[in-house]
Amino acid sequence: DIGLEPCAHSESGEMGFNVVLGGYMSIKRVAHSIEGDMWVPAQVQPVVDVSEAILRIFRDEGARGDRQKARLMWLIEEKGVEAFRDQVAAEAEAYGRGTVVQRAQPKPTGDFTRRELLGVHAQPQPGLSRVGVHVPAGRLSVAECRAIADLADAYSAGEIRATVEQNIILPNVADAEVPKLLAEPALNGGRLSVDPGNIVGHTVSCTGSQFCGLAMVETKANAEAVAKLLDERLVTPRPLRIHWTGCPNSCGQVQAADIGIMGGPAKKFDPESGKNKAVPGCNIFLGGTIGENAHLSLEPAVKGVPLEHDILVPKLEELIIEHFGGTPRPAPSAGAGGLLAKVKALFRRD
Protein backbone atom coordinates (compact mmCIF):
# COMPACT_ATOMS: atom_id res chain seq x y z
CA ASP A 1 0.00 0.00 0.00
CA ILE A 2 2.88 2.37 0.78
CA GLY A 3 6.24 1.97 -0.94
CA LEU A 4 9.43 3.97 -0.51
CA GLU A 5 11.86 3.85 -3.44
CA PRO A 6 15.35 5.30 -2.86
CA CYS A 7 16.10 8.21 -5.17
CA ALA A 8 18.55 11.11 -4.95
CA HIS A 9 17.24 14.67 -5.27
CA SER A 10 17.97 15.96 -8.77
CA GLU A 11 19.30 19.32 -7.55
CA SER A 12 20.79 18.83 -4.09
CA GLY A 13 21.88 15.21 -4.50
CA GLU A 14 20.39 14.40 -1.10
CA MET A 15 19.24 10.82 -0.84
CA GLY A 16 15.54 10.34 -0.23
CA PHE A 17 12.50 8.34 -1.25
CA ASN A 18 9.92 8.59 -4.00
CA VAL A 19 6.60 7.38 -2.62
CA VAL A 20 4.56 4.80 -4.51
CA LEU A 21 1.04 3.83 -3.47
CA GLY A 22 -1.73 1.33 -3.71
CA GLY A 23 -0.17 -1.97 -4.72
CA TYR A 24 -1.92 -5.02 -3.34
CA MET A 25 -3.06 -8.58 -3.98
CA SER A 26 -6.43 -10.03 -3.07
CA ILE A 27 -9.21 -12.29 -4.34
CA LYS A 28 -11.00 -9.35 -5.94
CA ARG A 29 -8.05 -7.59 -7.53
CA VAL A 30 -4.28 -7.65 -8.05
CA ALA A 31 -2.87 -4.15 -8.60
CA HIS A 32 0.53 -2.62 -9.33
CA SER A 33 1.55 0.27 -7.12
CA ILE A 34 1.38 3.67 -8.80
CA GLU A 35 3.55 6.78 -8.59
CA GLY A 36 2.45 9.04 -5.73
CA ASP A 37 4.40 12.07 -7.02
CA MET A 38 5.95 12.63 -3.59
CA TRP A 39 9.57 12.77 -2.40
CA VAL A 40 10.87 13.02 1.15
CA PRO A 41 14.43 12.97 2.52
CA ALA A 42 15.82 9.64 3.75
CA GLN A 43 15.31 10.59 7.38
CA VAL A 44 13.08 9.01 10.00
CA GLN A 45 10.79 11.96 10.75
CA PRO A 46 9.76 12.83 7.16
CA VAL A 47 9.08 9.16 6.39
CA VAL A 48 7.00 8.80 9.56
CA ASP A 49 5.09 12.00 8.81
CA VAL A 50 4.14 11.11 5.24
CA SER A 51 3.20 7.55 6.25
CA GLU A 52 1.12 8.84 9.14
CA ALA A 53 -0.66 11.30 6.84
CA ILE A 54 -1.52 8.53 4.36
CA LEU A 55 -2.79 6.26 7.12
CA ARG A 56 -4.90 8.97 8.76
CA ILE A 57 -6.56 9.86 5.45
CA PHE A 58 -7.20 6.21 4.68
CA ARG A 59 -8.56 5.63 8.19
CA ASP A 60 -11.00 8.52 7.91
CA GLU A 61 -12.06 8.21 4.28
CA GLY A 62 -11.34 4.67 3.10
CA ALA A 63 -14.16 2.26 2.19
CA ARG A 64 -15.70 0.47 5.16
CA GLY A 65 -18.90 -0.89 3.66
CA ASP A 66 -17.12 -3.36 1.34
CA ARG A 67 -14.22 -5.32 2.77
CA GLN A 68 -12.96 -6.14 -0.71
CA LYS A 69 -12.52 -2.43 -1.40
CA ALA A 70 -11.01 -1.52 1.95
CA ARG A 71 -7.60 -0.91 0.43
CA LEU A 72 -5.74 2.28 -0.35
CA MET A 73 -5.85 1.96 -4.15
CA TRP A 74 -9.63 2.32 -4.23
CA LEU A 75 -9.48 5.59 -2.29
CA ILE A 76 -6.74 6.98 -4.56
CA GLU A 77 -8.75 6.13 -7.66
CA GLU A 78 -11.81 7.78 -6.14
CA LYS A 79 -9.95 11.01 -5.38
CA GLY A 80 -7.43 11.05 -8.21
CA VAL A 81 -3.66 10.87 -7.74
CA GLU A 82 -3.07 14.63 -7.79
CA ALA A 83 -5.80 15.41 -5.26
CA PHE A 84 -4.67 12.60 -2.97
CA ARG A 85 -1.06 13.74 -3.24
CA ASP A 86 -1.98 17.32 -2.29
CA GLN A 87 -4.05 16.12 0.65
CA VAL A 88 -1.20 13.94 1.96
CA ALA A 89 1.33 16.77 1.61
CA ALA A 90 -0.93 19.24 3.42
CA GLU A 91 -1.65 16.76 6.20
CA ALA A 92 2.04 15.86 6.74
CA GLU A 93 3.16 19.49 6.73
CA ALA A 94 0.36 20.45 9.12
CA TYR A 95 1.94 18.34 11.87
CA GLY A 96 4.49 21.14 12.30
CA ARG A 97 7.49 18.82 12.51
CA GLY A 98 9.43 20.43 9.69
CA THR A 99 8.50 17.93 6.98
CA VAL A 100 8.09 19.30 3.46
CA VAL A 101 6.74 16.87 0.86
CA GLN A 102 8.29 17.62 -2.53
CA ARG A 103 7.38 16.39 -5.99
CA ALA A 104 8.78 13.03 -7.05
CA GLN A 105 12.37 13.12 -8.31
CA PRO A 106 13.56 11.61 -11.61
CA LYS A 107 14.48 7.96 -11.25
CA PRO A 108 18.03 6.79 -12.02
CA THR A 109 18.43 5.82 -15.67
CA GLY A 110 21.21 3.24 -15.32
CA ASP A 111 20.64 -0.48 -15.08
CA PHE A 112 20.11 -1.86 -11.60
CA THR A 113 21.22 -5.36 -10.71
CA ARG A 114 19.44 -6.80 -7.72
CA ARG A 115 21.94 -7.91 -5.09
CA GLU A 116 22.05 -11.44 -3.75
CA LEU A 117 21.20 -11.48 -0.06
CA LEU A 118 22.26 -15.03 0.79
CA GLY A 119 25.90 -15.90 1.30
CA VAL A 120 28.86 -13.73 2.30
CA HIS A 121 29.18 -10.22 0.84
CA ALA A 122 31.53 -7.35 1.65
CA GLN A 123 30.03 -4.24 3.20
CA PRO A 124 31.13 -0.69 2.36
CA GLN A 125 32.81 -0.62 5.78
CA PRO A 126 36.34 -2.06 5.47
CA GLY A 127 36.83 -5.41 7.13
CA LEU A 128 33.13 -6.20 7.55
CA SER A 129 30.75 -8.50 5.71
CA ARG A 130 27.08 -9.34 5.78
CA VAL A 131 26.14 -13.01 5.90
CA GLY A 132 22.75 -14.10 4.58
CA VAL A 133 21.29 -17.23 6.17
CA HIS A 134 18.56 -19.22 4.46
CA VAL A 135 15.46 -20.17 6.44
CA PRO A 136 13.57 -22.86 4.46
CA ALA A 137 10.04 -21.66 3.64
CA GLY A 138 10.46 -18.99 6.31
CA ARG A 139 9.68 -21.46 9.09
CA LEU A 140 11.77 -21.60 12.28
CA SER A 141 11.60 -23.94 15.24
CA VAL A 142 12.29 -22.75 18.77
CA ALA A 143 15.72 -24.39 18.68
CA GLU A 144 16.54 -22.70 15.36
CA CYS A 145 15.47 -19.31 16.71
CA ARG A 146 17.81 -19.77 19.66
CA ALA A 147 20.62 -20.89 17.35
CA ILE A 148 20.25 -17.76 15.22
CA ALA A 149 20.21 -15.60 18.33
CA ASP A 150 23.43 -17.26 19.50
CA LEU A 151 25.07 -16.66 16.12
CA ALA A 152 24.05 -13.01 16.23
CA ASP A 153 25.46 -12.60 19.73
CA ALA A 154 28.73 -14.20 18.69
CA TYR A 155 29.29 -12.59 15.29
CA SER A 156 27.02 -9.56 14.59
CA ALA A 157 26.75 -7.78 17.94
CA GLY A 158 23.31 -9.24 18.50
CA GLU A 159 21.86 -7.72 15.32
CA ILE A 160 19.62 -9.69 12.94
CA ARG A 161 17.89 -8.33 9.85
CA ALA A 162 14.93 -10.05 8.20
CA THR A 163 14.41 -10.05 4.43
CA VAL A 164 11.19 -10.11 2.42
CA GLU A 165 12.27 -13.53 1.14
CA GLN A 166 11.83 -14.87 4.71
CA ASN A 167 15.57 -15.21 5.33
CA ILE A 168 17.89 -13.42 7.75
CA ILE A 169 21.08 -11.36 7.48
CA LEU A 170 23.83 -11.16 10.07
CA PRO A 171 25.42 -7.74 9.41
CA ASN A 172 28.81 -6.33 10.41
CA VAL A 173 30.58 -9.67 10.70
CA ALA A 174 34.35 -9.23 10.89
CA ASP A 175 36.01 -10.75 7.82
CA ALA A 176 38.40 -12.68 10.03
CA GLU A 177 35.43 -14.33 11.76
CA VAL A 178 33.62 -15.42 8.59
CA PRO A 179 35.29 -18.87 8.26
CA LYS A 180 34.47 -19.59 11.90
CA LEU A 181 30.85 -18.54 11.38
CA LEU A 182 30.51 -20.73 8.30
CA ALA A 183 31.81 -23.69 10.29
CA GLU A 184 29.18 -23.31 13.02
CA PRO A 185 27.11 -26.49 13.54
CA ALA A 186 23.89 -24.46 13.28
CA LEU A 187 24.70 -23.74 9.61
CA ASN A 188 25.85 -27.23 8.70
CA GLY A 189 23.79 -30.38 8.57
CA GLY A 190 20.49 -28.86 9.69
CA ARG A 191 17.86 -26.77 7.93
CA LEU A 192 19.73 -23.46 8.12
CA SER A 193 22.44 -22.78 5.55
CA VAL A 194 24.37 -20.01 3.84
CA ASP A 195 24.57 -21.45 0.32
CA PRO A 196 21.28 -23.29 -0.35
CA GLY A 197 21.38 -22.99 -4.15
CA ASN A 198 19.27 -21.30 -6.80
CA ILE A 199 16.06 -23.23 -6.18
CA VAL A 200 15.91 -24.02 -2.47
CA GLY A 201 17.32 -20.62 -1.55
CA HIS A 202 14.65 -18.61 -3.34
CA THR A 203 11.46 -20.44 -2.38
CA VAL A 204 8.92 -18.39 -0.42
CA SER A 205 5.70 -19.57 1.21
CA CYS A 206 2.65 -18.16 2.97
CA THR A 207 1.47 -19.66 6.27
CA GLY A 208 -0.68 -22.36 4.67
CA SER A 209 -3.61 -24.37 5.97
CA GLN A 210 -1.84 -25.62 9.10
CA PHE A 211 -2.32 -22.22 10.75
CA CYS A 212 -4.48 -20.18 8.33
CA GLY A 213 -8.19 -20.79 7.98
CA LEU A 214 -8.31 -19.21 4.51
CA ALA A 215 -5.68 -21.44 2.90
CA MET A 216 -6.97 -24.27 0.73
CA VAL A 217 -3.76 -26.31 0.96
CA GLU A 218 -0.72 -26.78 3.18
CA THR A 219 2.10 -24.68 1.73
CA LYS A 220 5.14 -24.53 4.02
CA ALA A 221 5.87 -28.27 4.21
CA ASN A 222 5.12 -28.73 0.51
CA ALA A 223 7.25 -25.74 -0.49
CA GLU A 224 10.27 -27.03 1.42
CA ALA A 225 9.91 -30.61 0.19
CA VAL A 226 9.26 -29.73 -3.46
CA ALA A 227 12.19 -27.29 -3.55
CA LYS A 228 14.52 -30.02 -2.30
CA LEU A 229 13.25 -32.47 -4.92
CA LEU A 230 13.66 -29.95 -7.72
CA ASP A 231 17.15 -29.03 -6.51
CA GLU A 232 18.15 -32.70 -6.57
CA ARG A 233 17.06 -32.99 -10.18
CA LEU A 234 17.80 -29.65 -11.83
CA VAL A 235 20.38 -26.90 -12.16
CA THR A 236 19.26 -23.37 -13.06
CA PRO A 237 21.50 -20.60 -14.43
CA ARG A 238 20.19 -18.01 -11.96
CA PRO A 239 18.14 -17.81 -8.77
CA LEU A 240 14.65 -19.15 -9.44
CA ARG A 241 11.98 -17.45 -7.33
CA ILE A 242 9.23 -19.97 -6.50
CA HIS A 243 6.39 -18.56 -4.37
CA TRP A 244 3.61 -20.56 -2.72
CA THR A 245 0.26 -19.25 -1.53
CA GLY A 246 -2.60 -21.24 -0.08
CA CYS A 247 -5.47 -19.21 -1.56
CA PRO A 248 -6.26 -16.39 -4.02
CA ASN A 249 -5.54 -13.73 -1.38
CA SER A 250 -1.95 -14.36 -2.47
CA CYS A 251 -0.08 -13.57 0.72
CA GLY A 252 2.77 -15.48 -0.92
CA GLN A 253 2.66 -13.05 -3.88
CA VAL A 254 2.65 -15.72 -6.56
CA GLN A 255 1.93 -13.18 -9.32
CA ALA A 256 5.35 -11.59 -8.76
CA ALA A 257 7.34 -14.84 -8.83
CA ASP A 258 9.15 -16.66 -11.60
CA ILE A 259 6.93 -19.59 -10.69
CA GLY A 260 3.88 -19.05 -8.50
CA ILE A 261 1.97 -21.96 -6.97
CA MET A 262 -1.52 -21.10 -5.69
CA GLY A 263 -3.67 -23.58 -3.82
CA GLY A 264 -6.81 -24.52 -5.69
CA PRO A 265 -9.11 -27.35 -6.73
CA ALA A 266 -7.82 -30.34 -8.67
CA LYS A 267 -9.04 -33.79 -9.65
CA LYS A 268 -7.27 -37.11 -9.91
CA PHE A 269 -8.48 -40.37 -11.39
CA ASP A 270 -9.43 -42.92 -8.74
CA PRO A 271 -8.93 -46.46 -10.09
CA GLU A 272 -11.23 -47.99 -7.47
CA SER A 273 -14.28 -45.93 -8.37
CA GLY A 274 -13.29 -45.28 -11.97
CA LYS A 275 -14.02 -41.57 -11.46
CA ASN A 276 -12.09 -38.35 -11.06
CA LYS A 277 -12.05 -37.31 -7.42
CA ALA A 278 -11.29 -33.95 -5.84
CA VAL A 279 -7.81 -33.70 -4.31
CA PRO A 280 -5.64 -30.85 -2.95
CA GLY A 281 -4.25 -29.04 -5.96
CA CYS A 282 -2.80 -25.85 -7.32
CA ASN A 283 -2.70 -23.39 -10.21
CA ILE A 284 0.74 -22.45 -11.54
CA PHE A 285 1.68 -18.89 -12.57
CA LEU A 286 4.73 -18.09 -14.71
CA GLY A 287 6.87 -15.09 -15.48
CA GLY A 288 6.26 -12.55 -12.73
CA THR A 289 9.14 -10.12 -12.21
CA ILE A 290 10.22 -7.54 -9.66
CA GLY A 291 12.48 -4.51 -9.85
CA GLU A 292 12.72 -1.77 -12.46
CA ASN A 293 10.58 -3.48 -15.08
CA ALA A 294 8.22 -5.31 -12.78
CA HIS A 295 5.49 -7.48 -14.28
CA LEU A 296 2.66 -9.33 -12.55
CA SER A 297 1.53 -12.67 -13.95
CA LEU A 298 -2.23 -12.32 -13.53
CA GLU A 299 -3.49 -15.56 -15.06
CA PRO A 300 -2.29 -19.09 -14.29
CA ALA A 301 -0.39 -20.88 -17.04
CA VAL A 302 -1.45 -24.30 -15.75
CA LYS A 303 -4.58 -25.08 -13.73
CA GLY A 304 -5.76 -27.94 -11.55
CA VAL A 305 -2.46 -29.74 -10.86
CA PRO A 306 -2.68 -32.18 -7.92
CA LEU A 307 -0.23 -31.39 -5.12
CA GLU A 308 1.04 -34.95 -4.91
CA HIS A 309 4.77 -34.71 -5.44
CA ASP A 310 4.92 -37.44 -8.05
CA ILE A 311 2.60 -35.31 -10.21
CA LEU A 312 3.57 -31.72 -9.30
CA VAL A 313 7.36 -32.11 -9.35
CA PRO A 314 7.57 -33.50 -12.93
CA LYS A 315 5.28 -30.70 -14.13
CA LEU A 316 7.51 -28.10 -12.47
CA GLU A 317 10.60 -29.75 -13.92
CA GLU A 318 9.10 -29.44 -17.37
CA LEU A 319 8.28 -25.76 -16.86
CA ILE A 320 11.71 -24.92 -15.43
CA ILE A 321 13.49 -26.55 -18.35
CA GLU A 322 11.22 -24.91 -20.93
CA HIS A 323 11.00 -21.39 -19.50
CA PHE A 324 13.96 -20.85 -17.16
CA GLY A 325 16.91 -22.63 -18.71
CA GLY A 326 16.94 -25.53 -16.27
CA THR A 327 19.09 -28.55 -17.06
CA PRO A 328 19.26 -32.00 -15.43
CA ARG A 329 21.68 -32.05 -12.54
CA PRO A 330 24.84 -34.08 -13.28
CA ALA A 331 25.48 -37.13 -11.15
CA PRO A 332 27.63 -36.27 -8.10
CA SER A 333 31.36 -36.80 -8.56
CA ALA A 334 33.88 -38.11 -6.08
CA GLY A 335 35.81 -34.82 -6.00
CA ALA A 336 37.09 -33.42 -2.73
CA GLY A 337 35.08 -30.72 -0.96
CA GLY A 338 35.53 -29.54 2.58
CA LEU A 339 35.22 -26.32 4.45
CA LEU A 340 38.03 -24.52 2.59
CA ALA A 341 36.30 -24.95 -0.76
CA LYS A 342 33.02 -23.82 0.77
CA VAL A 343 34.61 -20.69 2.26
CA LYS A 344 36.23 -19.77 -1.06
CA ALA A 345 32.92 -20.17 -2.88
CA LEU A 346 30.97 -18.12 -0.37
CA PHE A 347 33.45 -15.42 0.55
CA ARG A 348 32.93 -13.37 -2.58
CA ARG A 349 32.89 -9.63 -3.07
CA ASP A 350 30.08 -7.59 -4.64
Side-chain angles (χ1 to χ4, degrees):
D1 291 286
I2 303 174
L4 302 168
E5 296 183 345
C7 183
H9 195 281
S10 61
E11 296 179 0
S12 68
E14 181 182 8
M15 184 55 69
F17 298 106
N18 283 335
V19 181
V20 295
L21 301 167
Y24 78 101
M25 297 176 178
S26 71
I27 293 176
K28 189 176 185 70
R29 180 180 179 186
V30 177
H32 288 275
S33 60
I34 60 175
E35 302 293 338
D37 195 19
M38 290 180 277
W39 182 92
V40 292
Q43 301 169 15
V44 173
Q45 194 61 60
V47 171
V48 169
D49 288 346
V50 77
S51 299
E52 180 180 345
I54 293 168
L55 291 172
R56 284 182 181 276
I57 294 168
F58 178 61
R59 178 198 64 186
D60 295 341
E61 302 182 36
R64 295 186 179 273
D66 183 350
R67 184 177 179 183
Q68 294 301 323
K69 291 187 176 182
R71 296 297 294 264
L72 184 62
M73 180 65 88
W74 296 92
L75 180 61
I76 295 171
E77 290 178 338
E78 177 185 322
K79 288 178 170 290
V81 175
E82 185 68 16
F84 186 80
R85 184 256 174 223
D86 291 345
Q87 187 176 1
V88 170
E91 174 77 16
E93 293 168 12
Y95 299 151
R97 302 165 187 161
T99 292
V100 176
V101 180
Q102 300 185 45
R103 294 285 178 176
Q105 297 299 301
K107 295 182 179 181
T109 56
D111 292 334
F112 176 79
T113 301
R114 191 168 187 266
R115 291 177 294 178
E116 176 59 66
L117 299 181
L118 296 174
V120 181
H121 303 271
Q123 296 180 189
Q125 300 85 356
L128 297 178
S129 292
R130 56 181 170 88
V131 180
V133 178
H134 177 241
V135 179
R139 171 168 285 177
L140 288 168
S141 67
V142 172
E144 288 165 342
C145 288
R146 293 186 180 278
I148 290 172
D150 289 341
L151 292 176
D153 285 339
Y155 296 99
S156 61
E159 184 174 355
I160 297 169
R161 300 184 186 180
T163 75
V164 295
E165 292 86 1
Q166 303 175 323
N167 300 311
I168 67 164
I169 294 174
L170 301 176
N172 304 314
V173 178
D175 289 348
E177 293 292 301
V178 169
K180 184 179 176 182
L181 170 58
L182 297 180
E184 287 282 354
L187 302 181
N188 295 276
R191 295 177 67 246
L192 305 178
S193 64
V194 175
D195 187 24
N198 284 345
I199 296 177
V200 172
H202 297 83
T203 295
V204 172
S205 173
C206 76
T207 298
S209 61
Q210 184 177 5
F211 298 111
C212 176
L214 298 178
M216 301 170 67
V217 299
E218 166 54 22
T219 55
K220 293 248 184 221
N222 279 315
E224 187 172 351
V226 168
K228 287 181 180 178
L229 291 171
L230 290 172
D231 188 69
E232 291 171 359
R233 303 182 187 193
L234 296 175
V235 176
T236 60
R238 63 172 179 82
L240 185 65
R241 298 178 304 107
I242 302 177
H243 287 210
W244 288 69
T245 193
C247 75
N249 282 296
S250 201
C251 295
Q253 301 180 339
V254 298
Q255 292 89 349
D258 292 321
I259 298 177
I261 301 172
M262 177 184 289
K267 291 185 177 182
K268 182 183 177 183
F269 181 74
D270 177 32
E272 292 187 6
S273 65
K275 299 179 180 179
N276 286 324
K277 288 192 173 182
V279 295
C282 66
N283 296 328
I284 302 175
F285 295 72
L286 295 176
T289 60
I290 56 177
E292 289 179 300
N293 301 305
H295 165 74
L296 295 179
S297 176
L298 299 180
E299 295 296 332
V302 185
K303 293 184 177 181
V305 181
L307 277 187
E308 294 180 27
H309 295 173
D310 59 347
I311 298 175
L312 177 59
V313 171
K315 171 54 68 175
L316 292 173
E317 279 189 84
E318 174 188 322
L319 294 171
I320 292 170
I321 291 172
E322 180 180 353
H323 296 279
F324 301 100
T327 56
R329 181 176 291 279
S333 65
L339 177 61
L340 180 60
K342 182 177 181 180
V343 171
K344 288 181 178 179
L346 290 171
F347 206 165
R348 53 187 178 268
R349 297 283 176 179
D350 286 337

